[in-house]
Amino acid sequence: MTDVVIIGAGISGLSCGHFISKKTNNFLILESKDKLGGIIQTNIEKNYICEYGPNTVLLNNEATKQIISDCNLFERIIYPSINNAKNRFVFNNNKITKIPLTPIEFIKTSLLSINSKFKLFFEFLVPRHKKNDTVFNFISKRFGKEFHDKLVVPFITGIYAGNTKRMSAKHSLKNLWNYEQKYGSITKGIIQNLLRKKSQPKSFNFPNGLSELTLKIGENLKKSIRFNSNVSKIKKTEKGYEISLENEEKIYCKKLITTVPSYVLMNLIDDSTLINELKKIKYNPIDVFHFGLDKKNIKNKYKGFGVLTKPEDKKKYLGILFNSDIFNHVSPTNKNLYTVLVGGENQKKLCKKNIMELQDIISEEIKSLFGYKGEIDFIKNYRWKNGIPQYTMDQEELISAVRGFELKNNNFFITGNYFNGVSVSDCIQKSYDIVKKYF
Ligand SMILES: Cc1cc2nc3c(=O)[nH]c(=O)nc-3n(C[C@H](O)[C@H](O)[C@H](O)COP(=O)(O)OP(=O)(O)OC[C@H]3O[C@@H](n4cnc5c(N)ncnc54)[C@H](O)[C@@H]3O)c2cc1C
């Protein structure tokens, strides 16, 4: 009998495997596909380094630092170019406009009216929330609707591709919610945090993309990973768990961790309370396009991290990352790489179009935005039918159903990106916490 089985070899499952390997060799990672990494997938072609999933990871917790250090990857970390990373744009009356980041920039920005700026500086007077609320209500109450519409909607679009009227503030804007709860004000919390910490956590990537991390973890665990092992059912036994694979093979283990998406897990278990909660989780589709443009043919030379949109902008994309400005090695020297994200709550219809038809539409948008004349040098696309799980007001019930299930099913642990943090670093931290607490 295997001591521990981990289902899924995305970053959550690989991190569980990595931390468990420090305690036992008797574990197995079962992955349905023939490759590891899950959503983290780097594609290198024609000297373009493209990410189909995450483009950067935040170095904001100990578990992420630990795994990078264990994999000897600290020296390979690359950080975004500081000057360009500070320039993040949104549209204002169809013009690309820099998002204000400092108090002076907030005073000067044309994005917000005097009234909104006034609200911003007096946010500390708004009473703290007694219970959780939607992102829309939470931000509108504290900073006003204009601030919500013009700055928070594009930001939420960039991370969750979601609808702020349905999303839970406590779970989607965890830091801001905690600042409000602790200091009575978000601005006070940010100031306190800036005063206490010497530097803000940085985002990073590696020279050959984020797959460097998953491939390195996978290489260290290669004896314990089984590919093409699609789990179809989990049953409790007297001594632990029976795991059935699609090919009818059975694997027995004492302890089990699942890291698969919620829409997979609900078909593996029999617990109706948890299944009902898992069914409520919606994943928004995301289509990812990579464009390589000849620098000499780009007329509008924006320099920065990228641009985010809101529904009123009527653009056919959620946002564009200016990859070559963030990391200049990701494209040939005379070319620029851009990543365009389409989809989410408001662009679901676009994601139903034939991907090549959509690619043509997005190519035209790109050409018009950059005033681009000439042939596009490089195009790639990737379709995530189930892209990003939405953290709605049902999160609290979901989390308590997960905990209830784990209490009823001894040594069965559930993690993944659909609760308690969607980012790569959150996934690593949650895996670390499970292993530390229960293994
Ligand atoms: C387009 C996009 C952009 C993103 N950008 C960022 C970003 O910039 N920064 C950031 O921090 N985060 C970003 N995220 C979020 C982050 O990438 C994910 O939340 C995280 O990678 C999820 O990892 P995971 O291991 O929990 O899940 P997954 O990566 O989904 O892994 C689950 C694994 O389980 C396997 N599996 C599924 N069913 C079975 C089964 N029945 N049996 C066995 N195995 C199974 C799957 O094949 C997969 O390998 C982005 C996500 C998307 C979609």
Side-chain angles (χ1 to χ4, degrees), residues 48 292-301 303 324-325 328 331-338 370-373 375 377:
Y48 287 99
L293 304 187
D294 227 311
K295 280 184 185 169
K296 66 177 188 315
N297 293 333
I298 299 175
K299 191 172 141 222
N300 306 327
K301 298 185 194 297
K303 275 225 164 277
S324 306
D325 291 348
N328 63 18
S331 52
T333 39
N334 55 344
K335 308 281 193 290
N336 273 356
L337 176 67
Y338 298 95
F370 292 103
Y372 189 75
K373 299 267 177 272
E375 286 292 299
D377 181 59

Side-chain angles (χ1 to χ4, degrees), residues 200-264:
Q200 291 296 96
K202 285 183 182 172
S203 54
F204 68 90
N205 202 316
F206 298 104
N208 291 322
L210 288 173
S211 285
E212 268 202 52
L213 176 62
T214 46
L215 291 174
K216 191 66 197 273
I217 304 172
E219 192 185 306
N220 296 339
L221 303 177
K222 65 173 175 261
K223 287 192 194 127
S224 309
I225 303 180
R226 271 187 56 177
F227 293 103
N228 303 310
S229 302
N230 192 14
V231 174
S232 55
K233 202 76 204 164
I234 302 167
K235 272 193 196 144
K236 202 171 178 176
T237 64
E238 248 176 48
K239 290 187 180 148
Y241 294 93
E242 175 193 272
I243 296 160
S244 306
L245 301 187
E246 210 179 24
N247 65 6
E248 300 192 351
E249 186 188 345
K250 305 228 185 286
I251 294 168
Y252 295 89
C253 65
K254 292 182 193 154
K255 294 184 173 188
L256 175 64
I257 308 178
T258 72
T259 70
V260 295
S262 55
Y263 54 86
V264 175

Side-chain angles (χ1 to χ4, degrees), residues 272-286:
S272 59
T273 314
L274 182 55
I275 291 173
N276 284 340
E277 291 306 321
L278 294 173
K279 272 186 185 162
K280 290 185 200 162
I281 303 168
K282 300 279 174 272
Y283 286 66
N284 281 337
I286 304 277

Side-chain angles (χ1 to χ4, degrees), residues 7-14 30-33 35-41 52-58 158-159 210 229-232 245 259-261 263-264 268 286 288 321 341 384 386-389 415-418 421-427:
I7 309 179
I11 190 64
S12 297
L14 289 169
L30 301 174
E31 167 57 48
S32 57
K33 298 215 172 103
K35 59 179 178 186
L36 46 76
I39 294 172
I40 299 180
Q41 296 298 334
Y52 290 144
N55 272 267
T56 53
V57 173
L58 208 52
I159 301 178
L210 288 173
S229 302
N230 192 14
V231 174
S232 55
L245 301 187
T259 70
V260 295
Y263 54 86
V264 175
L268 304 184
I286 304 277
V288 182
L321 286 166
L341 300 167
W384 296 102
N386 295 298
I388 315 246
T415 187
N417 68 352
Y418 52 92
V422 73
S423 74
V424 170
S425 53
D426 283 336
C427 291

Side-chain angles (χ1 to χ4, degrees), residues 283-325:
Y283 286 66
N284 281 337
I286 304 277
D287 288 341
V288 182
F289 297 91
H290 296 288
F291 290 92
L293 304 187
D294 227 311
K295 280 184 185 169
K296 66 177 188 315
N297 293 333
I298 299 175
K299 191 172 141 222
N300 306 327
K301 298 185 194 297
Y302 309 110
K303 275 225 164 277
F305 199 88
V307 60
L308 293 167
T309 70
K310 54 189 180 303
E312 297 83 84
D313 297 329
K314 305 241 177 304
K315 301 287 176 199
K316 296 208 166 54
Y317 49 86
L318 298 171
I320 304 174
L321 286 166
F322 304 168
N323 302 87
S324 306
D325 291 348

Side-chain angles (χ1 to χ4, degrees), residues 4-18:
V4 189
V5 164
I6 298 157
I7 309 179
I11 190 64
S12 297
L14 289 169
S15 305
C16 288
H18 174 83

Side-chain angles (χ1 to χ4, degrees), residues 5 17 48 51 62 69 81 114 127 265 276 283 288 312 323 335 342 351 359 364 369 392 399 423:
V5 164
Y48 287 99
E51 300 286 2
E62 287 311 311
S69 159
S81 138
I114 299 277
L265 180 61
N276 284 340
Y283 286 66
V288 182
E312 297 83 84
N323 302 87
K335 308 281 193 290
V342 182
C351 293
Q359 184 169 294
E364 290 311 311
L369 179 70
T392 63
I399 292 167
S423 74

